[in-house]
Amino acid sequence: MRIVSVVGARPQFVKLGAISRALAPARSVEHVIIHTGQHYDPDMSDSFFEELRIPHPDINLGIGSGSHGVQTGRMLEELDPLLNRIRPVWTLVYGDTNSTLAATLAAVKLDIQVAHLEAGLRSFNRAMPEEHNRVLSDHASDLLLAPTELAVQNLRMEGLGPRTVLVGDVMADVCYSTRDLIGQAELAHVRSDVGGDRYVLATIHRPSNTDDPHKLRQILRALRSLTVPVLLAVHPRLRSRAAEFGLSLEGGSVIPTSPLSYRSMVAAVMGAQGVVTDSGGLQKEAFLLGVPCTTVRAETEWVETLDGGWNILDPSAENLTELATRDKPEHQLNQPYGDGRAAERVFEVLSRGNGN
Ligand code: UD1
């Protein structure tokens, strides 16, 4: 059985890590990896393939940056002849990026079956490009691989129940297996980088936070004023918007650093007192690793993380001083994201050929 995975952006490489590991031992599977090139800086892409031992992409489209429409359109144009030549049993698409939408459209228009991994997530915020990508990809896909019960319910509400299978969250697979590799020396290394045992880990990259100079200034001011060091892993969008608006990323408590590799990110979360982020993946990783998270957004797709106060929304970063270094909640963590074996279930479902 031939399966094509189409990926392009950082969080998708993590999910691909779990899938490629689950598919590798199966002799019956030919797994072809297409990288759209949406993310191209080595620390946004190559480091993930190396650390998670993902085979080099078979094809890299080298699309790069652009407006959403142009980026998606270029990918669609390149993917159409490629998928038509490869003719897989499944095109597997991941999450909510422009690469996901382009691959979904390319495959359905060629009458090639599409399986959408991480189907059914909703922020219900139609101003987010990711929300368009999720909804459109779910409705166009043949098989919806849902990570949580709530995602299944969302899909049922939209009439997509018959195409839905609950598999669990493949990001939990990778997060748990990476956590198990990290030793005290690695944690000590992060602490020595920030100069102490107590620190906050932060990332900010959503257009809603980076593209408005007032909002970005407010977030950076709040991070600078925290009473513990703040390790800020800087996404290229944050770096370029801050430069454009004349805002410095340094100063106060903030220690800016390049984007972290996956393993370094997991180690940095494990050692942190708290996480401040607008990333979907990092909110969930903080939850899986038992570290309190503050999310600089008005809503989250990963609503299970809010349970018991493990994750708290602070859309304007007004309350960061109290929230970022708060103690762990007493409420016990449950396991809404599965047992770390979701990718094996994905393989089983795909092996049935038509998802039934
Ligand atoms: C994309 C995804 C988002 C995901 C995020 C993870 C969409 C709509 N959004 O957002 O869901 O959370 O990836 O990072 O697909 N850039 C570089 N080097 C790179 C990559 C990007 O310099 O390797 C710059 C580009 O100038 C670009 C900006 O960063 O303008 C943003 O990149 P883009 O891929 O458009 O979206 P992300 O914000 O990364």
Side-chain angles (χ1 to χ4, degrees):
M1 175 174 59
R2 190 177 287 160
I3 299 173
V4 169
S5 281
V6 182
V7 291
R10 193 167 54 170
Q12 296 172 316
F13 309 141
V14 179
K15 293 165 206 156
L16 175 64
I19 294 294
S20 111
R21 195 165 52 195
L23 297 186
R27 295 226 175 118
S28 57
V29 173
E30 184 194 348
H31 186 203
V32 180
I33 298 174
I34 302 181
H35 189 321
T36 62
Q38 179 173 351
H39 286 177
Y40 44 88
D41 285 352
D43 51 11
M44 298 286 285
S45 176
D46 301 1
S47 83
F48 290 78
F49 282 79
E50 282 156 25
E51 275 193 1
L52 298 172
R53 297 172 194 267
I54 306 169
H56 280 296
D58 297 276
I59 299 151
N60 191 323
L61 304 181
I63 299 294
S65 309
S67 69
H68 288 285
V70 167
Q71 193 181 48
T72 311
R74 282 198 193 123
M75 291 174 193
L76 181 54
E77 195 173 348
E78 295 287 330
L79 285 166
D80 176 84
L82 259 179
L83 290 177
N84 198 23
R85 203 176 71 225
I86 302 170
R87 281 276 151 196
V89 175
W90 289 109
T91 295
L92 186 56
V93 297
Y94 298 68
D96 58 17
T97 71
N98 294 336
S99 301
T100 306
L101 178 60
T104 305
L105 283 176
V108 290
K109 288 189 178 295
L110 291 164
D111 204 16
I112 293 170
Q113 294 188 109
V114 185
H116 185 202
L117 190 68
E118 211 177 74
L121 292 194
R122 297 291 180 265
S123 66
F124 301 103
N125 175 356
R126 287 183 44 81
M128 286 179 77
E130 290 82 1
E131 186 75 354
H132 316 149
N133 293 342
R134 287 181 199 118
V135 173
L136 293 168
S137 299
D138 280 343
H139 281 259
S141 293
D142 301 277
L143 173 62
L144 302 169
L145 300 163
T148 61
E149 291 282 358
L150 190 66
V152 171
Q153 279 175 35
N154 288 337
L155 292 165
R156 283 196 187 128
M157 300 259 284
E158 293 175 27
L160 300 174
R163 289 186 247 161
T164 299
V165 181
L166 176 65
V167 287
D169 186 350
V170 296
M171 279 188 105
D173 300 12
V174 188
C175 185
Y176 291 145
S177 60
T178 304
R179 173 199 61 191
D180 295 344
L181 297 173
I182 288 168
Q184 286 305 321
E186 223 160 321
L187 296 176
H189 187 73
V190 186
R191 291 188 180 120
S192 81
D193 280 354
V194 294
D197 282 354
R198 286 161 52 89
Y199 67 91
V200 163
L201 172 71
T203 74
I204 294 291
H205 80 281
R206 297 251 162 238
S208 57
N209 286 329
T210 56
D211 294 6
D212 170 355
H214 301 291
K215 183 90 188 275
L216 185 55
R217 183 177 294 114
Q218 192 174 338
I219 295 169
L220 291 173
R221 194 184 292 142
L223 290 174
R224 273 191 216 109
S225 68
L226 295 187
T227 51
V228 296
V230 178
L231 185 63
L232 176 65
V234 182
H235 185 285
R237 179 194 291 281
L238 171 60
R239 188 170 297 286
S240 73
R241 292 298 183 273
E244 197 179 306
F245 304 145
L247 299 171
S248 169
L249 295 175
E250 317 220 359
S253 302
V254 173
I255 306 168
T257 180
S258 308
L260 300 179
S261 74
Y262 185 71
R263 185 169 169 152
S264 306
M265 182 61 98
V266 171
V269 174
M270 287 167 71
Q273 198 181 352
V275 168
V276 174
T277 191
D278 58 5
S279 150
L282 193 55
Q283 281 170 58
K284 202 172 41 184
E285 278 145 8
F287 179 84
L288 295 170
L289 298 168
V291 175
C293 180
T294 309
T295 295
V296 188
R297 279 180 54 195
E299 71 284 302
T300 177
E301 303 74 23
W302 301 105
V303 286
E304 301 84 358
T305 60
L306 301 173
D307 210 17
W310 283 95
N311 185 16
I312 295 182
L313 304 178
D314 184 17
S316 313
E318 283 166 345
N319 304 310
L320 271 195
T321 319
E322 307 96 82
L323 291 178
T325 51
R326 70 187 186 275
D327 290 336
K328 289 186 187 198
E330 287 181 6
H331 183 275
Q332 285 286 313
L333 282 165
N334 51 16
Q335 274 205 332
Y337 301 113
D339 55 4
R341 304 185 66 179
E344 291 168 39
R345 266 173 237 120
V346 170
F347 172 48
E348 277 166 32
V349 179
L350 295 181
S351 300
R352 290 182 218 144
N354 61 1
N356 294 315

